[in-house]
Amino acid sequence: MKGTRGHVHLEQGTQVSPSSCCFMPAVLCLQTVVDDWLETYKQDRETGFLELVNFIIRSCGCRGMVTLKMFRHLQNSEIIQQLTEKFEEDSAEYPLSLGTQPWRRFRAAFCELVAAVVRRCQYSVVYDEFLMDALISLLTGLSDSQVRAFRHTSTLAAMKLMTALVNVALGVSLHQENNQRQYETERSKGPGRRATDKLEALREKHRELQEQQEEIENMMNAIFKGIFVHRYRDVVPEIRAICMEELGTWMKSYTASFLTDGYLKYIGWTLHDKQREVRLQCVKALQGLYCHRDTAAHMELFTSRFKTRMVSMVLDKEPDVAVEVVKLLTLMLENTEEVLTEEDCQNVYPVVYVSSRVLASAAGLFLYRRLLDPQREAGREPSRDGDNRIFFRLLLAFFIESELHEHAAYLVDSLWDCAGPRLRDWETISALLLEESPTKGLADRQEKALVEILAASVVQAAEGQPPVGRSLAKKPSARERKAQAEERIRLTHCLIPALPQLLAKFSADAEKAAPLLEVLRCFDLSIYCTGRLEKHLELVLGQLQEVVEKHTGQAVLEAASRALHALCNPELALHGRGDLVRSRLADQLADKFHQEVTELLQASSLDEEEVYSMAATLKRISILFNAHDLTPWQLFKPCTQLLQRALDTGEVPPQVVVPAITCLHFHILWELSRLPSTDVPQEQLQSLKTRVTSFCSLCQSCLSDVDAGIREQVRRGWGDMEGVSGQVLRPSLCPQAFMVLSDLLLVFGPQLPRDGREALAPLVLLPDAGLQSQLAAFLMDHVFHHACSHEELLAMGTSPLRIPEVSPGMPVPPLSPPVSTEDSENHIEELHQRRVLLAGFCKLIIYGVLELSAASDVFKHYAKVGGTQEACPASPATAWGHQALSPPPQFYSDYGDIIKETLNCTRQIDRQEWARTLLLSLQQLMTELLLQQGPEIRTAEAFLEIRDLARRFSLLFSLQQLRNRPALLSMHKEGIQFAFQEPPGPGLPPLNLPFLEVLSEFSPRLLRPDKALLLAYLEKMHQEQRWLAPQDVPWPSLVTYRNSLQPQEEGGSVNSRSTAPRPPPGSAAKRPRIDAPSEHPDSSPWPSSRLPSPALTSTMLRGGPRPPLTWPPTRDPGSDPGLLQSSSLSHRRSGVNRLSLMVEEEEEEMMIEEESSEEDTPEQDRTLLAPEDQLRDLFDSTILGIEDPSPHRTSERGTLAAQSSSVPVYCCYKSKSGGDWLPGPCCLAMVNK
């Protein structure tokens, strides 16, 4: 059957299309079809049976059919063999493998048809000792077939047949119980009233029912032992999932027979399956058993045996499986008695903070049922106020004592679905916060936590958006949006009177005042006017002004600025009162600042108190400047004077200069936003341009001319200054100047006069060459150099020892030495700042402010490890009893996502220049390595890392080869020219000649004619320069590159193999799948070498001997020359690097697959075989062990798709002796294009 073009044949000469099959219950009237078939069967049971069998065969996608002669004279195995030979499949698809809507409906109709046949025949035909016996026998043979379509379809039919027989057996069991009850009632009557004939009839009926029960049980045993026991560990995950799903149905329906340890063990074993859908069906089956107390009571032994596994599956890598596991544990919590211990529950509690909202909500329900439900022990009706007080105290105890997370918003979001009404009890929360009783009141930590919970609940109710990092499962409906608006009005009415009291009580504490000010932004502020609540507005504005005057903390000042901005909205009727408070604050701060600047400029020395006062004032102004236009207060000139004084003398400390730079930045942005799009006065343009130019010059001076002591102070942690509220001010002068400068260059970049703003063209600011080099140098010093400084790691309080990664379920290795929470937070904060610096620089490149070649300094760090080991000096750590490890800088893990996005964006700008930039990055690394280590670099670890980087770059050329063709050609040409430079002496190879090995990593991406052109150009360059190597000592780098360009004949190999070290074989295992061009093969200017892919759907090995296994393996014609590597590198590279290369390859391929919308190649299943298993069924369940039912023989590294020819390829396997990786024969990988 060919995909969706096939048809399913119900009987000979009749075809039913997929669309009609899927509507059989509604259109063809399934019951009528079954009745008609039953009449045919009663007239001639062989004909009727063959009609049913052929329908199942055609449902497999097979065009063959079972004739009456075959049925009478052949065994089932012979029939299946003939059907296999006549399968005539021309694709990997069959009806059950198709996921389109018509075929999904066909699957449902197919299952319903099997069940309807059994229901219709349950009173007579089922027991005729022909239909069910023959059908079960045939399905058993098909389920053990080598053809996946037969195995999959027959297993589904058998499992549905078993489910229908279970229902029949359940009905017979009920009839037996009724018959036994009638018999006992009749026999209990007196001798005169007892009916002997009735008793005899009841006994006869009992014998008949007992015989039927035995027959049904024999049928079920035949299906279970003949099909289920083998298929539940099948290599196909869908088949295993079908078995687990139906087994759960049997247990739930007929608990008397199936709810035993003999059947439960299969679910327990399969909980360890590696495939998501199988584990999911196991968990859902268990949910159906634990949802009732009576069935849960029979599972004590199973629970004790597999409880540990079920609890550990909370951390399943598949979120949907983890969600169902948490729901299962919730059912166990509700319907079993003390099965889950406190230790088990402790594994579930942290899940409320995960990023998946569905999983977090499921864990929130578990937490609520276990700890937070006030009614979990008492059965009384809830008392709203009393119960909610208990709920909030329990919630506070969990949030504080667990110490799992410091952000209450995630906990509130997790509990929103199950405890939303309690969390929206604003009156109870306000009352708890305002209580002054020493016995009933809350402690300081409890008050802080409850304020955060209040703010998070208000934001959740008003905005309906989950916290950062969580996404909504679905968009809210119109009804939900209406309810959300009503809830916002209700919370506004409830909290408007309470908010001034709360601010009055907690305004002195910045950590409590900031969340309360966030609550104000969620109000429906128009109610202040419509509800005649102006007095509460006046109180809030007074408290807000007091908070700004009292605190210097970043978070509380930003919250106050945002709240004041909301109150100053011109659309509000009472916005004038907010404007008045804003003006009052601005006047006070501006006057104070002008006075302090005048004193500072005139003073010969700076007092510590004066410095702190000015720093606090400037910080308040800079934060207010972010949301409010303070340009009328003329702050630009004094800030400029202050910054100029700092650059001239170096006496002004960074904690004063940093907010001054921020104020100047916002001042310029506000001036730009006030300019009209057209008819702009030239005076304003000239004034703004002068200010922008002067400010950018000052920022540029901050990058280079700042006193060396200050720069060192900035790099080492800066001078901390304790604030009034205990906040620590951490100024960062150089990074702040860099960020501001990059933002201004972006805002005033070439795109400024576009979109109808041509009048602003005079304001365009383009950096000169000096500024560009200065920005790049700053980036190297503060972003890429920072990570490899061991002393700086110690200065930051961060241990130079890396914590090893631990997989779920593995024991945690000992740590050495531990890192404190504060040190870890500082490290994360500084890493975030460096990422911001890098992102700012990359934006300048993407938007055309900087030349594309400037990205070479960024691209050359696109590797797992940046720099060499020697770049990070280590110091002994004898106090911990461990040798101090000095990790190289992990640039890829820290900045890989930013660099990857920059690579993708710049590629869309100019592919030619982008390719030159990649080449420039490699050339820079090569030159640096030659300067450090001399000409002998081919065996150096750093040179291998350059080759790895080139390989990663080459993956970006995998798609759209015709579009990449000019860029690749110019890259190779310029690379050859770079390699053939002046040699150190006569007869010696050029110093840059090893660069040809780096360039060879891009050769697999070349088209065949281009390889020939480049090979000719290479020979021409070699001959022109007359640098000939001695005849007996060839230059290995030249040989390597020449071999990478050699044309390959079909069925042959390249002329000579590379002798240079190459990356491990596993790192290139997937290249053929992503090397195919996205364009149509006919668009190529030369004849295609792609052979037609043979049709291979079944798992049988077709004719033709396998090629002999050779070592070392020769290259397959037409395949990627990068597939086969020598093993020389494996002796020089550790196993960790080998595995890391595999991870890199996966990440790059995932990125490339996401970018491509043109390539959609269905891959078939491939399995690695040992030589002795070559003639066995590739998907036979006996290959798998019971403890590992997943398809572990299908290696992801060995999953190769033949591209340019249909010849065998090689993959790698680990030798039994534990030695190096060896080549192993891989099954044919065919892809139907």
Side-chain angles (χ1 to χ4, degrees):
M1 177 177 177
K2 188 172 184 178
T4 59
R5 294 194 299 271
H7 298 80
V8 177
H9 298 249
L10 289 175
E11 55 182 322
Q12 186 176 6
T14 303
Q15 289 187 351
V16 180
S17 65
S19 58
S20 60
C21 284
C22 63
F23 290 110
M24 278 195 299
V27 180
L28 300 181
C29 188
L30 186 63
Q31 191 62 42
T32 303
V33 173
V34 174
D35 291 341
D36 293 343
W37 171 84
L38 187 58
E39 290 297 327
T40 303
Y41 179 83
K42 289 180 179 180
Q43 295 176 6
D44 187 348
R45 63 183 188 178
E46 288 185 344
T47 302
F49 176 74
L50 290 179
E51 184 178 338
L52 178 62
V53 168
N54 284 323
F55 168 70
I56 296 176
I57 296 300
R58 293 302 175 94
S59 298
C60 297
C62 178
R63 297 185 183 276
M65 62 180 300
V66 182
T67 63
L68 185 61
K69 181 179 179 181
M70 294 169 58
F71 178 69
R72 288 177 176 176
H73 299 93
L74 297 180
Q75 298 293 328
N76 283 338
S77 59
E78 297 172 337
I79 294 175
I80 295 173
Q81 180 64 29
Q82 290 191 15
L83 291 175
T84 302
E85 295 172 354
K86 297 178 181 179
F87 202 95
E88 297 180 1
E89 71 281 11
D90 50 6
S91 83
E93 298 177 346
Y94 54 94
L96 294 186
S97 69
L98 301 175
T100 56
Q101 186 65 25
W103 289 112
R104 286 199 298 267
R105 289 197 290 263
F106 165 76
R107 176 192 173 109
F110 176 83
C111 298
E112 180 60 27
L113 178 66
V114 175
V117 168
V118 176
R119 284 198 306 267
R120 189 69 180 81
C121 303
Q122 63 179 321
Y123 299 109
S124 58
V125 179
V126 169
Y127 309 104
D128 66 354
E129 298 183 354
F130 174 78
L131 174 64
M132 299 308 298
D133 292 349
L135 183 60
I136 292 174
S137 177
L138 182 64
L139 291 177
T140 302
L142 287 173
S143 68
D144 199 32
S145 171
Q146 298 172 342
V147 181
R148 171 177 293 189
F150 283 158
R151 201 165 66 251
H152 191 177
T153 308
S154 61
T155 302
L156 176 63
M159 295 300 101
K160 293 299 180 181
L161 181 65
M162 177 79 164
T163 302
L165 289 176
V166 167
N167 294 330
V168 173
L170 183 60
V172 172
S173 177
L174 293 176
H175 286 310
Q176 279 185 310
E177 293 178 0
N178 294 334
N179 178 269
Q180 184 67 25
R181 187 166 51 253
Q182 293 175 3
Y183 178 79
E184 296 294 338
T185 301
E186 189 65 26
R187 196 177 63 172
S188 64
K189 295 180 180 179
R193 302 176 54 191
R194 183 182 304 168
T196 306
D197 296 339
K198 187 175 182 180
L199 282 175
E200 186 63 26
L202 290 173
R203 280 195 294 268
E204 184 65 26
K205 183 65 174 176
H206 178 73
R207 285 193 296 270
E208 180 183 353
L209 291 174
Q210 190 171 3
E211 292 176 357
Q212 292 179 357
Q213 185 74 16
E214 291 177 355
E215 290 186 26
I216 294 294
E217 289 180 355
N218 290 335
M219 298 175 195
M220 293 190 299
N221 287 334
I223 296 176
F224 188 84
K225 294 181 180 179
I227 299 178
F228 177 88
V229 171
H230 300 287
R231 292 308 110 209
Y232 91 95
R233 53 181 182 174
D234 193 280
V235 73
V236 181
E238 291 82 357
I239 296 178
R240 303 200 300 271
I242 290 172
C243 294
M244 292 299 107
E245 180 183 7
E246 298 305 317
L247 179 59
T249 304
W250 307 337
M251 292 179 177
K252 188 176 180 181
S253 302
Y254 198 8
T255 57
S257 295
F258 289 95
L259 193 59
T260 63
D261 297 331
Y263 294 100
L264 284 170
K265 66 182 180 182
Y266 295 104
I267 293 183
W269 290 340
T270 318
L271 285 173
H272 297 269
D273 197 281
K274 292 183 179 180
Q275 298 299 321
R276 178 196 67 85
E277 56 266 32
V278 184
R279 298 195 304 274
L280 186 63
Q281 292 300 333
C282 291
V283 175
K284 288 184 176 180
L286 292 175
Q287 288 178 358
L289 301 178
Y290 280 103
C291 64
H292 301 288
R293 284 185 174 271
D294 51 350
T295 55
H298 292 82
M299 302 179 65
E300 294 181 358
L301 183 59
F302 175 85
T303 304
S304 62
R305 171 64 178 83
F306 295 101
K307 183 186 69 171
T308 303
R309 172 58 182 166
M310 289 187 285
V311 173
S312 67
M313 289 179 69
V314 170
L315 301 178
D316 195 278
K317 65 178 181 179
E318 301 292 342
D320 52 348
V321 177
V323 169
E324 299 301 328
V325 170
V326 174
K327 292 180 180 178
L328 172 62
L329 295 178
T330 305
L331 292 174
M332 295 174 62
L333 184 68
E334 295 174 348
N335 298 314
T336 57
E337 298 295 336
E338 301 298 330
V339 169
L340 296 177
T341 63
E342 184 62 28
E343 183 180 358
D344 297 331
C345 297
Q346 291 291 341
N347 294 323
V348 185
Y349 296 155
V351 183
V352 297
Y353 296 108
V354 298
S355 59
S356 173
R357 191 179 190 278
V358 179
L359 178 57
S361 298
L365 178 61
F366 180 89
L367 173 64
Y368 181 75
R369 292 280 188 264
R370 174 73 178 182
L371 291 180
L372 306 180
D373 189 3
Q375 302 297 323
R376 66 184 188 276
E377 296 180 357
R380 67 181 188 278
E381 290 295 326
S383 172
R384 175 178 175 82
D385 183 65
D387 285 350
N388 284 355
R389 283 176 173 266
I390 297 174
F391 166 76
F392 282 114
R393 290 186 180 274
L394 292 173
L395 181 60
L396 291 174
F398 168 77
F399 182 59
I400 295 174
E401 295 174 4
S402 63
E403 297 181 351
L404 295 173
H405 207 280
E406 61 180 9
H407 298 293
Y410 296 91
L411 178 60
V412 169
D413 183 58
S414 301
L415 295 171
W416 195 255
D417 295 337
C418 60
R422 297 187 185 276
L423 291 170
R424 291 191 293 269
D425 188 1
W426 322 114
E427 296 89 347
T428 301
I429 301 178
S430 303
L432 284 172
L433 288 173
L434 294 174
E435 280 184 353
E436 299 291 347
S437 172
T439 57
K440 296 183 179 180
L442 302 175
D444 181 70
R445 292 185 64 190
Q446 291 177 321
E447 289 178 342
K448 177 179 178 295
L450 189 55
V451 167
E452 293 179 359
I453 292 173
L454 170 63
S457 302
V458 169
V459 172
Q460 187 86 5
E463 300 179 357
Q465 298 292 331
V468 177
R470 286 184 181 172
S471 58
L472 282 173
K474 60 179 182 179
K475 292 184 178 180
S477 61
R479 179 178 298 179
E480 291 173 341
R481 289 194 297 269
K482 181 180 179 181
Q484 178 181 327
E486 294 175 353
E487 184 62 33
R488 185 172 187 176
I489 294 174
R490 190 182 73 84
L491 73 88
T492 303
H493 282 290
C494 292
L495 293 178
I496 277 181
L499 186 59
Q501 303 177 50
L502 294 172
L503 286 173
K505 181 177 180 180
F506 300 117
S507 61
D509 192 336
E511 294 182 347
K512 299 173 185 175
L516 291 175
L517 292 173
E518 293 291 345
V519 169
L520 179 63
R521 296 175 50 246
C522 299
F523 285 176
D524 185 353
L525 297 176
S526 61
I527 295 179
Y528 275 113
C529 181
T530 58
R532 299 184 179 277
L533 301 172
E534 292 87 350
K535 62 177 182 179
H536 296 291
L537 178 61
E538 293 291 342
L539 293 174
V540 167
L541 288 172
Q543 294 293 340
L544 192 151
Q545 182 176 352
E546 182 180 350
V547 166
V548 174
E549 295 172 350
K550 184 181 298 184
H551 295 286
T552 59
Q554 184 84 11
V556 66
L557 288 177
E558 289 178 351
S561 177
R562 288 191 292 266
L564 184 59
H565 181 267
L567 293 172
C568 294
N569 188 356
E571 298 180 359
L572 295 177
L574 300 177
H575 74 276
R577 305 195 181 191
D579 292 337
L580 180 61
V581 173
R582 178 173 59 187
S583 300
R584 192 182 304 155
L585 274 174
D587 289 338
Q588 294 176 359
L589 294 174
D591 292 343
K592 186 177 181 181
F593 174 62
H594 283 290
Q595 180 180 357
E596 291 173 342
V597 167
T598 303
E599 295 176 356
L600 184 143
L601 295 177
Q602 296 176 355
S604 57
S605 61
L606 300 180
D607 183 73
E608 183 177 350
E609 294 183 0
E610 295 177 354
V611 170
Y612 172 77
S613 177
M614 177 173 289
T617 303
L618 269 174
K619 189 171 186 179
R620 295 187 180 100
I621 293 175
S622 64
I623 293 177
L624 285 175
F625 226 148
N626 191 5
H628 305 271
D629 184 6
L630 303 183
T631 54
W633 280 265
Q634 302 298 324
L635 300 174
F636 188 87
K637 183 177 179 180
C639 288
T640 304
Q641 294 175 346
L642 190 63
L643 182 57
Q644 187 65 53
R645 173 68 179 272
L647 294 173
D648 293 341
T649 63
E651 297 176 355
V652 182
Q655 55 264 31
V656 175
V657 179
V658 168
I661 294 176
T662 306
C663 290
L664 292 171
H665 179 219
F666 288 131
H667 197 290
I668 290 175
L669 294 181
W670 278 112
E671 283 195 28
L672 178 63
S673 66
R674 294 170 61 181
L675 291 178
S677 299
T678 58
D679 299 331
V680 183
Q682 293 299 320
E683 295 79 6
Q684 293 187 20
L685 282 177
Q686 189 61 34
S687 174
L688 180 57
K689 184 175 182 179
T690 302
R691 290 186 174 185
V692 171
T693 305
S694 61
F695 179 53
C696 289
S697 177
L698 291 175
C699 290
Q700 184 177 357
S701 301
C702 290
L703 301 180
S704 58
D705 296 336
V706 177
D707 181 76
I710 295 180
R711 285 208 305 271
E712 184 65 18
Q713 187 181 19
V714 170
R715 291 187 61 191
R716 294 309 182 109
W718 310 292
D720 296 345
M721 185 181 63
E722 192 73 18
V724 173
S725 60
Q727 297 292 330
V728 176
L729 302 178
R730 293 181 177 268
S732 50
L733 176 58
C734 293
Q736 182 68 16
F738 180 88
M739 288 187 291
V740 168
L741 187 58
S742 60
D743 286 345
L744 287 179
L745 290 174
L746 187 62
V747 171
F748 292 91
Q751 76 281 356
L752 179 62
R754 300 173 186 170
D755 300 330
R757 297 175 298 180
E758 290 77 9
L760 303 181
L763 295 178
V764 173
L765 180 64
L766 296 177
D768 54 15
L771 179 56
Q772 292 189 33
S773 61
Q774 198 168 347
L775 291 173
F778 179 88
L779 196 72
M780 296 303 104
D781 292 340
H782 292 75
V783 175
F784 294 111
H785 177 71
H786 185 89
C788 60
S789 174
H790 180 75
E791 290 81 9
E792 289 181 37
L793 290 174
L794 296 177
M796 291 188 301
T798 305
S799 170
L801 301 180
R802 294 185 60 83
I803 301 177
E805 296 182 359
V806 183
S807 302
M810 295 178 59
V812 179
L815 307 181
S816 60
V819 182
S820 65
T821 303
E822 183 180 357
D823 295 337
S824 177
E825 291 178 355
N826 292 339
H827 178 63
I828 293 174
E829 180 182 353
E830 294 181 10
L831 174 61
H832 172 70
Q833 185 185 45
R834 295 196 299 273
R835 286 173 57 86
V836 170
L837 296 176
L838 177 60
F841 185 82
C842 292
K843 284 191 295 184
L844 295 178
I845 297 172
I846 293 172
Y847 286 96
V849 179
L850 298 179
E851 297 178 358
L852 193 55
S853 59
S856 62
D857 291 324
V858 177
F859 293 164
K860 66 184 181 183
H861 296 96
Y862 186 54
K864 278 290 181 183
V865 177
T868 59
Q869 184 76 14
E870 292 79 3
C872 301
S875 60
T878 55
W880 288 88
H882 296 277
Q883 182 180 0
L885 302 177
S886 180
Q890 299 295 317
F891 295 139
Y892 184 85
S893 59
D894 291 344
Y895 317 121
D897 55 339
I898 300 176
I899 303 177
K900 184 184 298 184
E901 186 64 24
T902 306
L903 282 166
N904 294 334
C905 293
T906 52
R907 177 172 54 182
Q908 305 303 322
I909 298 173
D910 187 346
R911 287 179 181 265
Q912 198 87 0
E913 189 63 27
W914 170 73
R916 290 195 185 96
T917 304
L918 297 183
L919 183 65
L920 179 60
S921 302
L922 298 172
Q923 291 173 349
Q924 290 175 353
L925 291 174
M926 183 76 178
T927 304
E928 293 173 5
L929 184 60
L930 288 171
L931 291 175
Q932 292 175 2
Q933 300 188 16
E936 299 298 330
I937 61 172
R938 294 185 63 251
T939 59
E941 184 72 17
F943 181 72
L944 299 180
E945 290 177 3
I946 297 176
R947 293 196 62 180
D948 295 340
L949 179 61
R951 179 184 55 81
R952 294 174 66 86
F953 285 161
S954 70
L955 292 173
L956 302 174
F957 293 90
S958 298
L959 299 176
Q960 301 177 350
Q961 286 188 334
L962 291 182
R963 293 183 60 187
N964 294 328
R965 185 179 183 182
L968 271 174
L969 281 173
S970 64
M971 173 183 284
H972 278 268
K973 182 178 178 181
E974 295 177 12
I976 294 172
Q977 295 173 357
F978 175 76
F980 284 101
Q981 287 186 354
E982 187 69 25
L988 296 178
L991 284 176
N992 294 336
L993 193 65
F995 189 75
L996 292 177
E997 296 187 36
V998 178
L999 205 59
S1000 66
E1001 298 291 342
F1002 297 90
S1003 297
R1005 313 305 171 193
L1006 290 168
L1007 300 179
R1008 182 168 300 184
D1010 298 339
K1011 289 185 177 181
L1013 292 175
L1014 288 173
L1015 185 60
Y1017 182 76
L1018 175 67
E1019 299 299 337
K1020 179 182 176 182
M1021 287 289 298
H1022 189 198
Q1023 295 297 330
E1024 284 182 356
Q1025 300 297 334
R1026 300 183 183 275
W1027 293 336
L1028 301 177
Q1031 297 297 327
D1032 55 342
V1033 185
W1035 293 337
S1037 300
L1038 182 61
V1039 173
T1040 299
Y1041 184 59
R1042 181 186 291 122
N1043 288 339
S1044 69
L1045 299 177
Q1046 287 287 349
Q1048 299 175 359
E1049 301 295 336
E1050 296 296 337
S1053 61
V1054 296
N1055 298 334
S1056 60
R1057 290 182 294 107
S1058 172
T1059 60
R1062 295 299 304 269
S1067 64
K1070 286 189 178 180
R1071 285 189 187 175
R1073 179 170 60 85
I1074 62 174
D1075 284 350
S1078 58
E1079 289 80 11
H1080 194 276
D1082 295 339
S1083 63
S1084 176
W1086 55 90
S1088 174
S1089 63
R1090 182 184 303 277
L1091 295 180
S1093 299
L1096 180 61
T1097 302
S1098 71
T1099 58
M1100 292 185 62
L1101 294 179
R1102 298 303 174 93
R1106 283 184 176 270
L1109 179 63
T1110 60
W1111 178 260
T1114 58
R1115 292 183 180 174
D1116 296 321
S1119 62
D1120 188 344
L1123 281 175
L1124 305 176
Q1125 286 92 11
S1126 65
S1127 61
S1128 59
L1129 180 61
S1130 60
H1131 300 287
R1132 287 191 289 267
R1133 188 178 291 264
S1134 65
V1136 176
N1137 287 341
R1138 182 186 296 113
L1139 294 178
S1140 67
L1141 287 175
M1142 294 182 180
V1143 177
E1144 292 174 11
E1145 189 80 24
E1146 288 180 354
E1147 293 173 350
E1148 290 300 332
E1149 290 173 356
M1150 290 174 62
M1151 179 186 71
I1152 292 173
E1153 288 173 356
E1154 291 173 359
E1155 293 172 0
S1156 173
S1157 59
E1158 305 171 11
E1159 189 176 54
D1160 187 13
T1161 303
E1163 294 190 12
Q1164 299 189 2
D1165 305 295
R1166 292 166 289 272
T1167 308
L1168 293 177
L1169 293 180
E1172 63 271 16
D1173 294 336
Q1174 292 180 6
L1175 299 179
R1176 295 175 60 188
D1177 176 16
L1178 295 180
F1179 293 95
D1180 192 356
S1181 63
T1182 58
I1183 295 178
L1184 300 175
I1186 194 172
E1187 293 298 327
D1188 188 9
S1190 63
H1192 59 279
R1193 286 182 176 266
T1194 303
S1195 171
E1196 185 177 3
R1197 291 291 154 194
T1199 306
L1200 304 176
Q1203 289 198 13
S1204 47
S1205 64
S1206 303
V1207 296
V1209 293
Y1210 286 89
C1211 57
C1212 297
Y1213 67 94
K1214 193 74 171 177
S1215 64
K1216 294 182 179 180
S1217 61
D1220 208 337
W1221 292 87
L1222 302 177
C1226 182
C1227 63
L1228 289 177
M1230 307 301 176
V1231 178
N1232 180 32
K1233 291 294 182 182

